Amino acid sequence: MALGDSLVEVQAAPAGLDVEIRGVALLDPEDPPAAQPGELVLVIGARGRAAHPALRAAGRDGAAGVVVKLDGPGQAEALSENAVEAGVALLSLRSEARWEQVNALARAALDDAPPGHPGEAEGGDLFSLAQTTAILTSGIVSIEDSANRVLAYSRSSDSDEIDDLRQRSILGWQGPEAYLAKLREWGVFQHLHSSDEVISIDGHPELGIRPRLAVAVRSGDRQLGTIWVQEGSTPLSERSGQALLGAARVAALHLVRRRRELSEDLTLTRTLLAGLLEGNTGPQPLATHLGFDVTRPAAVLGFSYGTAEVVAAPELTHAEVTNLVSVHIAARHRSALVTQVGLRIYVVLPQLPRSIDIDTLRGWGQEIAEAARRHLGLLLRGSVGCVVPGLGDAPESRREADRILDAMLGVDVPTAVAALPDIQAEVLLSEVLTLLSGHPEIRDPRLTALVAHDSRHQGRLAETLLAYLQSFGDVRAAAAHLHVHPNTLRYRLRRAEELTGLDLSRPDQRLLAMLQLRLPPGT
């Protein structure tokens, strides 16, 4: 839940936790109890039993849920029974929390969700960005606006990790004045106002304050907000600073959108980027829109993952993976653009230095793949498209990135991220097999018949022949690979030749057989 356990606790959810919230309403005690379908109703000024009419009205009107403050022990059970009877979710708010803070956080979460997809924004909302940043830094994250109001924060499974400053900030209180005075004395606020560099802040156990990192979220010269990362029960990760810098650049897009200044521009950016990668539009509209130099080198990185590759987190969403890629690449290249097509994520890198090389780009990709494995338990395959002279040639780089990813599917390659020189043979072989797969007329019908014979008789003649050819005619090596006796292998080879009329002494027939027998079954 976006509001988090620090503010609210679910007391009853008769329809489950996946109910769509379409809006937020404030119900004043003087107002007649009423709600709109899908609303989250904040019942202000009516605690405990006084909230029963609001609960009944919310159930009658189809509200998504009701938030109340409890009047004391024993109130939760009575209100929960009433909520279940009304068929509406009930959430209890901590007594010291401020209603305006809850209202702002709830509306912020809804603002970040695109139409038709409640709770999950394209590229991830501020709450999912905060959670991703927490994973990458091993810390506890808060995102604030320029007035130091908390907009989003990461979840923490251990309340003991949260220090007094974070707890009070989330509840809408002002931080301890002694600590704020130290921040002013140390020039922290001045630094955040004038610089986009990450700053480290010492802990103060006597104030209940743990060490932190902070970075300004900026759009040009203007500070839009701040991201704070508090150290929990474990030290912050080694690359926390880099991750935080990337998170700030991604958060800037969300905060600009929140101000409604460039919401149409963001949609236009996605449209122009997709058109460029597909080759449907030229580079100039995107370059003009974002102020890019189309004559500077560019490149495309590709990343691929699938549900079968999720090692430890099957609940991963597209937003979580895209957030991780966005945060890491933004820390390396300010102008990077990230988009997702199906299960592939593309990173477009415009305005690269003219001295950039494939090794550097491969290194960036490997950092992302390693972070996905370490923090998300995800096997992320990456590819490095060729560096092209200008942004207009980005489709060429994307095609090369796709060629590499296509070849890496189902193939044991020595690295999770590759450029074309790394696996050129695998790429070319993959494309030859794709050609054979799509054109049955260029296959040898005798080999097609051999595969069909095996299918009808549960035989292994085709498999034996391929193992023999891939062992360069070494009978003992092929037999060991198949775990059969060499004489068994020799018998199967003779049988395959008899059934097909193949002459394995001819190099051209051996070459064609090796290629065709590597086609996937059923092709």
Side-chain angles (χ1 to χ4, degrees):
M1 187 188 336
L3 297 179
D5 294 336
S6 297
L7 281 176
V8 299
E9 181 178 351
V10 178
Q11 299 293 344
L17 298 177
D18 294 328
V19 176
E20 177 184 350
I21 297 176
R22 302 174 193 167
V24 181
L26 299 174
L27 183 61
D28 190 270
E30 298 181 0
D31 296 333
Q36 296 295 322
E39 281 187 334
L40 179 66
V41 182
L42 310 183
V43 183
I44 299 175
R47 297 189 177 215
R49 293 179 180 178
H52 283 292
L55 272 173
R56 288 193 291 270
R60 178 197 66 208
D61 297 336
V66 174
V67 184
V68 302
K69 287 187 177 182
L70 300 179
D71 203 19
Q75 290 294 323
E77 184 176 353
L79 281 171
S80 295
E81 290 178 1
N82 194 274
V84 170
E85 183 179 343
V88 65
L90 172 66
L91 295 85
S92 61
L93 179 66
R94 291 183 56 151
S95 60
E96 64 267 39
R98 292 164 49 183
W99 283 110
E100 60 265 32
Q101 181 74 358
V102 179
N103 182 38
L105 284 169
R107 293 182 186 277
L110 289 177
D111 285 345
D112 275 333
H117 295 79
E120 180 180 334
E122 182 170 348
D125 59 21
L126 279 177
F127 285 93
S128 66
L129 176 61
Q131 192 63 27
T132 297
T133 308
I135 291 171
L136 295 176
T137 60
S138 301
I140 303 169
V141 175
S142 299
I143 302 177
E144 299 179 357
D145 66 10
S146 56
N148 301 117
R149 293 172 299 207
V150 177
L151 300 174
Y153 49 86
S154 62
R155 301 181 298 275
S156 176
S157 58
D158 185 356
S159 60
D160 292 338
E161 292 187 344
I162 302 175
D163 67 12
D164 188 51
L165 177 60
R166 173 182 163 86
Q167 185 83 353
R168 295 192 182 195
S169 297
I170 290 175
L171 292 173
W173 295 3
Q174 187 178 20
E177 179 55 36
Y179 185 70
L180 295 178
K182 285 186 177 294
L183 293 182
R184 287 191 288 269
E185 176 186 337
W186 296 336
V188 171
F189 293 128
Q190 182 179 357
H191 171 95
L192 292 172
H193 183 69
S194 61
S195 172
D196 57 2
E197 294 181 356
V198 176
I199 186 172
S200 177
I201 305 162
D202 294 334
H204 281 265
E206 71 279 7
L207 296 174
I209 303 299
R210 297 190 181 186
R212 299 174 140 61
L213 297 178
V215 67
V217 180
R218 310 185 70 80
S219 176
D221 294 332
R222 182 175 56 181
Q223 183 182 355
L224 303 177
T226 309
I227 303 181
W228 302 86
V229 180
Q230 177 221 302
E231 186 176 276
S233 58
T234 59
L236 297 178
S237 62
E238 183 180 349
R239 295 184 177 177
S240 291
Q242 179 182 324
L244 192 55
L245 184 61
R249 292 172 180 173
V250 175
L253 300 176
H254 291 285
L255 295 187
V256 167
R257 180 176 65 186
R258 184 180 300 281
R259 292 176 177 229
R260 305 301 188 194
E261 294 174 1
L262 293 177
S263 57
E264 294 183 1
D265 289 352
L266 291 174
T267 301
L268 179 60
T269 297
R270 289 194 292 267
T271 301
L272 294 175
L273 180 60
L276 175 65
L277 288 178
E278 295 292 339
N280 298 326
T281 60
Q284 200 57 56
L286 181 65
T288 300
H289 176 56
L290 297 176
F292 290 161
D293 182 352
V294 296
T295 66
R296 296 262 302 274
V300 175
L301 307 182
F303 295 93
S304 176
Y305 69 97
T307 55
E309 296 171 321
V310 177
V311 178
E315 72 283 1
L316 285 172
T317 65
H318 295 333
E320 288 177 283
V321 183
T322 304
N323 272 339
L324 183 142
V325 173
S326 299
V327 167
H328 271 271
I329 201 63
R332 289 297 187 183
H333 190 61
R334 183 181 295 275
S335 301
L337 300 171
V338 180
T339 189
Q340 182 156 353
V341 180
L343 290 180
R344 287 193 177 174
I345 299 170
Y346 296 99
V347 177
V348 179
L349 300 168
Q351 303 189 127
L352 288 170
R354 299 194 185 279
S355 59
I356 198 76
D357 55 32
I358 289 294
D359 289 340
T360 299
L361 299 181
R362 187 194 294 108
W364 294 356
Q366 288 170 343
E367 287 180 3
I368 292 171
E370 173 59 23
R373 184 198 64 76
R374 185 170 61 252
H375 298 295
L376 301 181
L378 181 70
L379 176 60
L380 197 63
R381 295 288 191 186
S383 61
V384 182
C386 54
V387 178
V388 291
L391 189 59
D393 300 307
E396 177 187 346
S397 185
R398 186 253 176 119
R399 283 192 293 271
E400 183 165 299
D402 278 336
R403 291 176 65 198
I404 297 167
L405 288 178
D406 290 342
M408 295 174 81
L409 292 175
V411 177
D412 185 19
V413 293
T415 179
V417 179
L420 186 58
D422 302 324
I423 58 169
Q424 188 147 19
E426 289 86 348
V427 169
L428 295 175
L429 177 59
S430 171
E431 292 172 347
V432 170
L433 294 178
T434 299
L435 181 65
L436 277 175
S437 178
H439 294 274
E441 70 277 7
I442 63 174
R443 302 183 205 169
D444 189 329
R446 295 173 296 179
L447 295 166
T448 303
L450 181 64
V451 172
H453 177 275
D454 277 350
S455 179
R456 290 193 304 269
H457 298 89
Q458 291 78 49
R460 301 180 63 187
L461 299 181
E463 178 190 15
T464 300
L465 177 55
L466 180 59
Y468 170 75
L469 293 171
Q470 293 187 150
S471 299
F472 301 100
D474 187 328
V475 171
R476 292 191 177 277
H481 175 75
L482 296 175
H483 305 291
V484 299
H485 194 277
N487 287 341
T488 301
L489 188 130
R490 292 188 182 96
Y491 167 77
R492 290 179 182 175
L493 290 176
R494 287 196 300 270
R495 182 65 177 148
E497 287 183 301
E498 291 170 0
L499 286 173
T500 62
L502 289 170
D503 182 358
L504 296 180
S505 66
R506 294 180 56 181
D508 53 349
Q509 293 194 21
R510 292 198 304 271
L511 175 61
L512 183 58
M514 183 183 292
L515 288 173
Q516 191 168 323
L517 292 177
R518 293 186 66 164
L519 291 175
T523 303

